Amino acid sequence: MTNSSRMPDWNHIRAFLATANTGSLSAAARDLGLTQPTLSRQVAALEEELGIMLFERVGRTLELTQAGLELLEHTRTMGEAANRVSLVASGQSQDISGSISITSSDVFSAFVLPPALRKLRKAAPDLQVHVVAANDIQDLMRREADIALRHVRPEQPDLIAKLVYEPKAYFYASHEYLSERGTPETFDDLQNHDFISFGDTKEMTDFLTPMGIQLNEKNFPIGSKNGLVAWEYCRQGFGVSVMGEDVVQGTNDMVRLFPEMEPIVFPVWLVTHRELHTSRRIRLVFDLLADHFSSYK
């Protein structure tokens, strides 16, 4: 390692702070929404920049070296200053203008995102928001969107991801459908019912099989890759569907099946690229969405 007169990269300092505060690379990576290899590289880069060893491994834990302990006090002061700068910037949100694009599934965009968008409109009235309602994953690296809400965590190390929300889903059907076909009492009864396909029938049967629900293509007589259309078919009595309870709220004509069943829980990841660290516009929207959806927990 070599000493350098250059100012250390703030991202590297932030990685060091998180690791020192949590005591492990994995916990620090979760806190910062990074992968563990990315965070480990950032800590190693700071050691290289400063020419000192900051951590030593003791068993399965990391402990600060004496040099790390001395550095920690100074970097905590830097971290507190950065937080104050962020608060000042957020107070200037009324001045933020330009445009930003947010992508999420069509169902999520239509039913779950609007309350967050109302908050965003109040916080930054001059900001133009474009919602890309798409069920395929838009490529943030190619700037097809600035911020994404995804059900899978991205693997690209240059993307920042934060788990913000874990909604619960259940089986639903309309009163009309149940009056014609009867209400299933057990999962086995579902073999005699119609389901709405959200595109890939095999993917849906593979998802339901571990739950003890054995279906085949004949159970999916109608469906659509468009989630809004598929959900509307369920509402109009064509069959049973799995749907998040936050989508169904306020829909009086739908019946939740198996009231005692454990919910189907799926994650929602808030994702953006590294411009988060330099763009007030992206930082404002990312933090607002994170705060909004985290409050649902």
Side-chain angles (χ1 to χ4, degrees):
M1 294 184 292
T2 59
N3 287 298
S4 171
S5 60
R6 293 171 52 195
M7 173 69 71
D9 189 305
W10 166 245
N11 291 328
H12 302 166
I13 295 174
R14 195 171 68 114
F16 163 72
L17 271 172
T19 305
N21 290 334
T22 61
S24 78
L25 293 170
S26 58
R30 285 194 299 272
D31 283 356
L32 296 181
L34 302 174
T35 64
Q36 183 171 329
T38 297
L39 184 126
S40 181
R41 287 195 296 270
Q42 291 184 354
V43 172
L46 181 62
E47 292 179 325
E48 181 72 20
E49 289 165 347
L50 299 176
I52 57 177
M53 186 69 69
L54 299 172
F55 294 98
E56 58 183 1
R57 185 169 291 280
V58 178
R60 295 186 176 181
T61 63
L62 291 176
E63 290 190 2
L64 286 164
T65 63
Q66 184 58 42
L69 285 169
E70 293 175 1
L71 182 66
L72 180 60
E73 179 180 354
H74 300 292
T75 54
R76 277 185 172 156
T77 301
M78 293 176 65
E80 292 168 359
N83 287 336
R84 287 194 295 271
V85 169
S86 178
L87 289 173
V88 171
S90 65
Q92 297 170 349
S93 61
Q94 295 285 323
D95 299 329
I96 293 179
S97 59
S99 64
I100 193 165
S101 58
I102 304 169
T103 182
S104 63
S105 71
D106 47 16
V107 171
F108 199 95
S109 297
F111 292 105
V112 183
L113 194 56
L117 295 179
R118 290 191 183 95
K119 291 181 181 179
L120 180 57
R121 291 290 301 130
K122 291 180 180 179
D126 292 331
L127 185 65
Q128 294 180 331
V129 181
H130 177 58
V131 177
V132 183
N135 294 325
D136 59 327
I137 295 178
Q138 302 296 294
D139 193 340
L140 297 185
M141 300 301 295
R142 295 181 181 180
R143 303 303 169 90
E144 294 176 353
D146 296 306
I147 292 176
L149 289 154
R150 295 178 177 173
H151 296 311
V152 293
R153 182 172 187 169
E155 297 179 355
Q156 299 96 321
D158 289 331
L159 294 180
I160 297 170
K162 182 176 183 179
L163 180 64
V164 294
Y165 183 32
E166 291 183 291
K168 299 174 182 177
Y170 300 91
F171 293 101
Y172 292 93
S174 70
H175 287 285
E176 177 186 358
Y177 174 84
L178 296 176
S179 66
E180 293 180 359
R181 300 289 297 273
T183 301
E185 300 295 335
T186 67
F187 282 176
D188 287 341
D189 293 341
L190 292 175
Q191 297 178 35
N192 300 315
H193 284 266
D194 293 337
F195 273 72
I196 308 299
S197 168
F198 279 73
D200 191 326
T201 300
K202 185 179 185 305
E203 189 175 280
M204 294 188 70
T205 56
D206 289 346
F207 173 78
L208 295 172
T209 297
M211 298 174 58
I213 301 172
Q214 302 295 328
L215 303 179
N216 56 51
E217 289 188 1
K218 292 183 178 180
N219 292 106
F220 294 86
I222 192 169
S224 173
K225 287 186 178 181
N226 184 300
L228 295 174
V229 172
W231 176 237
E232 184 62 22
Y233 289 161
C234 183
R235 291 185 63 247
Q236 293 194 28
F238 283 95
V240 178
S241 176
V242 177
M243 185 54 66
E245 63 176 352
D246 48 2
V247 173
V248 185
Q249 289 176 357
T251 306
N252 297 326
D253 56 343
M254 302 304 292
V255 177
R256 177 176 142 187
L257 307 179
F258 314 115
E260 303 302 321
M261 72 170 281
E262 290 293 317
I264 302 168
V265 179
F266 54 97
V268 173
W269 291 90
L270 183 62
V271 187
T272 190
H273 39 72
R274 296 215 167 275
E275 194 177 340
L276 174 73
H277 298 304
T278 58
S279 169
R280 289 177 57 225
R281 173 176 47 86
I282 293 177
R283 166 60 75 179
L284 169 73
V285 178
F286 188 94
D287 288 348
L288 185 146
L289 293 176
D291 290 343
H292 175 80
F293 288 113
S294 295
S295 68
Y296 284 14
K297 293 179 180 179

